[in-house]
Amino acid sequence: MKSVLVVDDKPEIRRRVAEALIKYGFTDILEAENGQQAIDMAQAHKPLLILMDYVMPVMDGITAAEKISKKCPTPIVLLTTRADHETIEKARLAGISNYVVEPFREDQLFPAVDLAIHHFIEVTSLRQEVAKLKDTLESRKIIEKAKGALIQQGMSEQDAYRKIQRMAMNKRKTLKEVAEAILLTLE
C-alpha cells in the first residue's frame, strides 16, 4: 500500500494534491491541516511520502519537517509560494527532499515526488553504508588493540590474531566482542 500524507491548512489544496497523487499511484491518502498534526500522523502511519505546505497555523511546514526527519525519516516535498535562497536553505537543513512552488501544475508535482523518493532512498542507503563502515572500522581498531596487547605478552602477530579467531569461534562471539573481553581482562 502506497500511503502519502498531504499537509495543508486549505482543504481545496489538499484535495487537489490528493487527486494528483492518486493518478501517480498512491492508494492511501492521509490528510493533516497543520504541522503538529503532520508530526503525529507521520509517527502513527509512517507514510511513504509527505507533501507539506510551508505556511500553516500551529506549526509551519519546515519546523514540522525537521521534527519528522529526526523521529521517522521520510521523503518530504514542500509546497511553498517562496523560492528565495533563505527558504530553500532552511528546507534543506530540515531534511526536505524537494519542493514545488505554488501555484503548481500537476505535471510539476510528479517529477518533484519522483526525485524526492529516489533521493531519499539513495541518501538512506549511503547513511546505512557509512554506519556499517564506521562499525567495521571501530571493530578493526579494537581487534588491533587486543592483538597488540597479546603481542606484548610474547605472542607473534599471527598467533595473536589466530587466538582471537579461535576464541570467537569457540564462544560463538564476534571478533570485536572477544577483543573487548581480552582488553578488559588485561586492564
Side-chain angles (χ1 to χ4, degrees):
M1 181 166 62
K2 290 173 69 176
S3 65
V4 62
L5 174 58
V6 179
V7 188
D8 198 301
D9 57 326
K10 298 172 199 81
E12 64 276 3
I13 301 287
R14 289 196 310 265
R15 181 184 46 75
R16 195 169 148 226
V17 170
E19 288 171 358
L21 292 171
I22 288 170
K23 290 178 189 173
Y24 192 72
F26 285 92
T27 54
D28 188 19
I29 311 292
L30 307 164
E31 294 185 18
E33 57 188 44
N34 63 57
Q36 186 58 55
Q37 284 181 357
I39 293 168
D40 298 340
M41 291 187 79
Q43 289 175 339
H45 299 281
K46 311 248 185 291
L48 176 64
L49 172 73
I50 299 173
L51 277 97
M52 186 162 14
D53 187 27
Y54 178 25
V55 180
M56 295 183 290
V58 182
M59 183 184 300
D60 69 82
I62 291 178
T63 303
E66 185 174 20
K67 292 180 182 207
I68 290 168
S69 294
K70 288 178 182 173
K71 293 182 180 179
C72 52
T74 306
I76 301 172
V77 176
L78 187 69
L79 303 172
T80 181
T81 56
R82 300 177 186 175
D84 60 279
H85 177 73
E86 185 180 328
T87 302
I88 293 168
E89 184 64 12
K90 283 171 64 178
R92 184 187 67 77
L93 293 173
I96 291 172
S97 306
N98 210 335
Y99 72 96
V100 176
V101 178
E102 295 179 294
F104 65 90
R105 294 185 324 268
E106 198 173 290
D107 64 338
Q108 293 173 310
L109 201 57
F110 297 139
V113 165
D114 205 40
L115 282 171
I117 291 170
H118 285 92
H119 174 75
F120 178 79
I121 290 168
E122 186 176 307
V123 168
T124 301
S125 175
L126 288 171
R127 283 183 180 150
Q128 289 170 346
E129 189 175 333
V130 166
K132 184 178 176 184
L133 289 171
K134 281 182 179 177
D135 185 52
T136 300
L137 183 60
E138 182 61 32
S139 295
R140 194 73 217 148
K141 285 179 183 178
I142 292 169
I143 293 165
E144 287 299 318
K145 197 172 181 181
K147 194 167 72 171
L150 292 174
I151 290 169
Q152 284 182 341
Q153 291 184 341
M155 289 187 179
S156 71
E157 183 177 354
Q158 194 173 18
D159 288 341
Y161 190 69
R162 281 192 196 135
K163 179 175 181 160
I164 294 170
Q165 282 182 315
R166 270 194 317 275
M167 290 174 72
M169 285 190 288
N170 291 342
K171 303 219 181 266
R172 295 186 179 159
K173 300 283 184 186
T174 65
L175 291 174
K176 180 181 176 184
E177 290 170 327
V178 169
E180 287 171 337
I182 290 170
L183 292 171
L184 282 174
T185 59
L186 297 176
E187 284 183 350

